[in-house]
Amino acid sequence: MVSWSSNADERVFVNRSLRLEKITHFGFDMDYTLVQYKSPDMEYLAFNMAIQRLVDTGYPEEIKNFKYDPIFPVRGLWFEFQYGNLLKVDGFGNILGGIHGLRFLKNHDIEEMYPNKYLPLSDSRIYVLNTLFNLPETHLICHLIDFFDKHPDYSALADKTGVKAGEVMMSYKSIFQDLRRVIDWVHVESNMKQQVMADPEKYVIHDDRASRFLTQLREHGKKTFLLTNSDWAYTNVMMTYIMGEEWRSFFHIIVVDSCKPRWFAEGTVFREVNTEMGAYKLGIHTGPLREGVVYSGGSCDAFQKMMKCRGKEVLYVGDHIFGDVLRSKKSRGWRTFLVVPELVNELTVWTDSKPLFDELSQMENTLADIYKHLDGAARRKPVVKDIVDNIRKLTNQMDEEYGCLGSLFRTGGRTTFFASQVERYADVYASSCYNLVHYPSFYYFRAPMKCMPHEATVDHASTLRSRSNTLDRQESVGQQVRGWNKKTLNDQETFCHEEEEDEENTGSSSSDGEAAKRERTKSGSDDSSNADDLTPEQLHQDVITASPAFVENNA
């Protein structure tokens, strides 16, 4: 279910049903959520600063010729250390495509390095470039690998894991590690934030809906809070540009330097911020959180105790698939809203390229029809090479409409790892959090029924060739169940509680976080991302940690 707005980029899309009237607390990240950065201006800045830093640390001056191209990168790709490849994978680890440097990998290349074209996320060779802050890094690692592969002074190592010049060996892993350190430096220690604060008009989108949206929430009795990893000085400048000098009045609670995703786990301690000096006040804050006061650090446990809220009453809005959405969903049971700015481009391609999608669908149907009437007795294999080649060609054309590395969400008919994470952990998602301004405070976001293949491909009018006794039993089973229910259940009792909220029973959701603690002690059953069960070292390897962007280390 979506809004009635005719503009697709103003809609909110639903994975799991959500009643806004049940939400009492609305929480917001800042970077790429309340504060939306202009692309590609922000990427140009980070890209060029990273190159200069690489040169300053010993990389050749020639890399200054690298240019950032906004049509090249897409987030959600996996960088594989050993062979230096960027891979697009699906939610199960099946490789959909890859690129080495600036050279696209062919099928036989992928199969040679990755048997069965498969790579598990748990593999220590993987780093997931998940965030919007990773876009310059995604392009730059390809430039660097291409540069050293083609450099006349370097030759490829026999095991294809790097290059060598005389006694100097550079593995693809070491190149990427150098780049990671540089990217961290750019976002944490450089003057990047100062440049953005000095000219917010150049780097930040001013959305007129911001103040109106947060005003509406407060008018309808909702509690609002800001929870960001950015420091106070940067937060103040950015929010002032977006909402004016009185921006703090739009929030009941403000928490900076939160250190997500750690904030959703053990956290740190709450400290009050001296907004005049920008420093922490003496001591640890243990009392209730007060409106108008700015806090630093803290934890979800302490926050829920002080705010007296339950997990399912909180809707947290953020752009980071792990730090904002996955952690708050898995650890705390919060409802989640993922901001995906790329949706504007994705929807534009989806609508403008409708003829391509229609043609691909027609080809798929043609292929299905060829096999439709064949059974086990068939001996003549149909010739389908031309159709398969056309499907492959159309899929490639579709991907090219999105960019050099294709869509964020799919490759042809197969969805990506990023798409699977969105489906799994984001209750709702949209191109901007301000899209909620187009919905009433009591709106019911209802997820459409998802059909499994046996439901989607079999028409309701179809007649099954079943044995008569089986068919008779199936036709009467509903009547039998209703008769059984009459004898054993009260009128209000039912097995299915789909979308019902138990407003009376508070035992299932703890306001002090104890239930969430118990959940984290269980062995992981999440085969997509067992982040809760990994060591800090493994978290870093799998890029499950938060983006270093705008995170201070003093909280």
Side-chain angles (χ1 to χ4, degrees):
M1 183 182 289
V2 296
S3 72
W4 297 108
S5 172
S6 59
N7 298 323
D9 59 347
E10 293 180 349
R11 296 177 179 176
V12 174
F13 302 93
V14 191
N15 287 320
R16 276 168 297 282
S17 296
L18 171 69
R19 292 179 184 264
L20 286 184
E21 63 183 334
K22 300 290 184 182
I23 302 299
T24 60
H25 293 70
F26 284 76
F28 300 90
D29 182 31
M30 186 181 77
D31 296 308
Y32 280 111
T33 302
L34 291 175
V35 174
Q36 303 169 83
Y37 296 106
K38 292 182 179 178
S39 182
D41 302 86
M42 196 68 171
E43 289 80 38
Y44 284 140
L45 177 62
F47 185 86
N48 292 330
M49 292 185 73
I51 288 177
Q52 184 59 55
R53 180 65 175 177
L54 284 169
V55 172
D56 292 343
T57 56
Y59 274 70
E61 289 277 343
E62 294 97 309
I63 70 171
K64 287 186 177 180
N65 295 323
F66 295 168
K67 303 297 180 185
Y68 180 78
D69 191 340
I71 70 169
F72 180 85
V74 64
R75 62 173 166 152
L77 301 182
W78 295 10
F79 182 77
E80 190 274 300
F81 296 141
Q82 184 173 354
Y83 297 113
N85 300 322
L86 266 179
L87 304 173
K88 179 180 276 192
V89 300
D90 67 11
F92 302 99
N94 299 303
I95 299 173
L96 305 175
I99 188 170
H100 179 85
L102 299 177
R103 175 179 64 86
F104 288 107
L105 297 173
K106 299 185 182 299
N107 270 333
H108 65 83
D109 295 324
I110 296 176
E111 290 174 351
E112 181 181 342
M113 291 178 280
Y114 315 105
N116 301 316
K117 296 180 68 175
Y118 170 78
L119 196 62
L121 177 61
S122 58
D123 195 303
S124 60
R125 297 178 293 169
I126 301 302
Y127 192 102
V128 185
L129 297 157
N130 244 346
T131 77
L132 287 158
F133 288 117
N134 289 134
L135 290 178
E137 182 178 0
T138 300
H139 199 179
L140 190 46
I141 188 60
C142 290
H143 269 304
L144 288 170
I145 289 175
D146 184 72
F147 173 82
F148 285 108
D149 280 353
K150 295 179 178 178
H151 198 288
D153 294 340
Y154 290 86
S155 57
L157 296 176
D159 60 3
K160 300 181 180 180
T161 60
V163 294
K164 186 176 182 180
E167 296 181 350
V168 177
M169 189 272 286
M170 296 185 68
S171 68
Y172 297 128
K173 180 177 182 178
S174 68
I175 295 172
F176 185 72
Q177 288 174 332
D178 289 344
L179 178 57
R180 279 268 72 242
R181 284 190 288 269
V182 164
I183 294 295
D184 286 355
W185 178 87
V186 167
H187 287 297
V188 179
E189 300 179 47
S190 76
N191 69 344
M192 180 180 180
K193 287 188 289 187
Q194 284 69 32
Q195 291 192 49
V196 176
M197 288 190 288
D199 193 4
E201 186 175 357
K202 179 178 180 181
Y203 297 107
V204 179
I205 298 171
H206 192 282
D207 196 319
D208 295 333
R209 299 175 296 174
S211 300
R212 179 157 57 104
F213 169 50
L214 288 166
T215 299
Q216 285 178 359
L217 289 179
R218 296 200 59 153
E219 286 176 348
H220 289 97
K222 307 296 185 181
K223 298 284 187 180
T224 56
F225 64 93
L226 176 65
L227 178 67
T228 176
N229 281 352
S230 292
D231 61 78
W232 162 247
Y234 185 78
T235 299
N236 187 39
V237 172
M238 292 296 99
M239 294 303 295
T240 299
Y241 178 73
I242 293 295
M243 297 180 178
E245 295 289 342
E246 302 301 318
W247 70 269
R248 288 160 63 183
S249 66
F250 290 102
F251 300 95
H252 291 87
I253 301 297
I254 298 169
V255 181
V256 299
D257 286 323
S258 63
C259 295
K260 294 176 296 182
R262 184 181 175 189
W263 194 86
F264 292 107
E266 72 277 9
T268 57
V269 295
F270 272 115
R271 300 185 68 181
E272 192 173 328
V273 176
N274 183 328
T275 56
E276 298 297 325
M277 304 294 294
Y280 300 141
K281 291 187 177 181
L282 187 65
I284 298 171
H285 182 81
T286 58
L289 300 177
R290 305 190 305 276
E291 188 171 348
V293 177
V294 178
Y295 300 94
S296 168
S299 68
C300 189
D301 280 345
F303 178 84
Q304 290 191 168
K305 283 181 180 178
M306 294 176 181
M307 296 295 288
K308 295 182 172 59
C309 59
R310 298 187 297 161
K312 65 181 180 180
E313 297 170 344
V314 181
L315 177 66
Y316 189 63
V317 187
D319 70 289
H320 196 302
I321 195 69
F322 177 77
D324 295 327
V325 171
L326 186 151
R327 270 295 193 172
S328 61
K329 168 64 68 178
K330 287 185 66 176
S331 300
R332 300 306 180 191
W334 286 9
R335 308 307 301 271
T336 52
F337 183 130
L338 181 68
V339 176
V340 187
E342 298 99 323
L343 267 176
V344 176
N345 179 60
E346 296 277 332
L347 289 168
T348 300
V349 175
W350 182 259
T351 53
D352 290 352
S353 300
K354 184 178 183 297
L356 272 178
F357 288 100
D358 289 344
E359 189 176 353
L360 181 62
S361 178
Q362 184 179 350
M363 286 288 179
E364 295 280 6
N365 291 335
T366 300
L367 185 62
D369 288 340
I370 291 176
Y371 288 95
K372 187 174 183 179
H373 299 294
L374 300 179
D375 59 20
R379 292 294 180 265
R380 180 174 297 178
K381 181 180 177 180
V383 179
V384 296
K385 182 180 183 303
D386 290 344
I387 296 176
V388 172
D389 287 345
N390 282 334
I391 290 175
R392 187 178 294 113
K393 180 181 177 182
L394 285 171
T395 298
N396 185 58
Q397 284 182 282
M398 284 167 49
D399 284 347
E400 288 175 345
E401 294 298 318
Y402 291 101
C404 293
L405 300 180
S407 166
L408 175 64
F409 293 102
R410 65 172 57 253
T411 292
R414 300 169 67 182
T415 53
T416 63
F417 172 76
F418 184 87
S420 72
Q421 296 291 87
V422 172
E423 287 183 314
R424 188 163 193 169
Y425 298 112
D427 293 327
V428 295
Y429 64 100
S431 60
S432 169
C433 65
Y434 301 126
N435 289 9
L436 279 176
V437 80
H438 305 292
Y439 298 80
S441 62
F442 51 81
Y443 197 82
Y444 183 10
F445 290 106
R446 183 167 176 83
M449 184 179 75
K450 295 182 179 179
C451 292
M452 293 187 69
H454 70 276
E455 298 167 324
T457 58
V458 177
D459 190 88
H460 283 282
S462 299
T463 301
L464 297 182
R465 296 177 181 176
S466 305
R467 296 188 182 93
S468 58
N469 61 334
T470 305
L471 190 59
D472 290 343
R473 185 188 66 80
Q474 293 221 5
E475 287 179 335
S476 63
V477 68
Q479 186 175 352
Q480 293 178 45
V481 169
R482 284 185 285 275
W484 185 85
N485 287 344
K486 277 187 178 181
K487 297 177 183 177
T488 58
L489 303 177
N490 297 327
D491 291 341
Q492 285 76 28
E493 288 183 318
T494 177
F495 178 75
C496 179
H497 295 274
E498 190 254 352
E499 303 309 333
E500 290 186 12
E501 294 283 353
D502 185 358
E503 298 181 2
E504 305 264 337
N505 181 15
T506 59
S508 62
S509 181
S510 173
S511 62
D512 62 7
E514 289 302 314
K517 284 184 180 178
R518 288 193 295 273
E519 179 183 343
R520 291 200 308 277
T521 63
K522 294 188 292 186
S523 60
S525 59
D526 182 352
D527 55 7
S528 175
S529 178
N530 290 328
D532 294 332
D533 305 312
L534 298 177
T535 65
E537 291 76 13
Q538 289 172 312
L539 289 175
H540 178 72
Q541 289 170 349
D542 289 345
V543 165
I544 304 278
T545 54
S547 166
F550 307 129
V551 179
E552 298 291 347
N553 294 322
N554 55 0

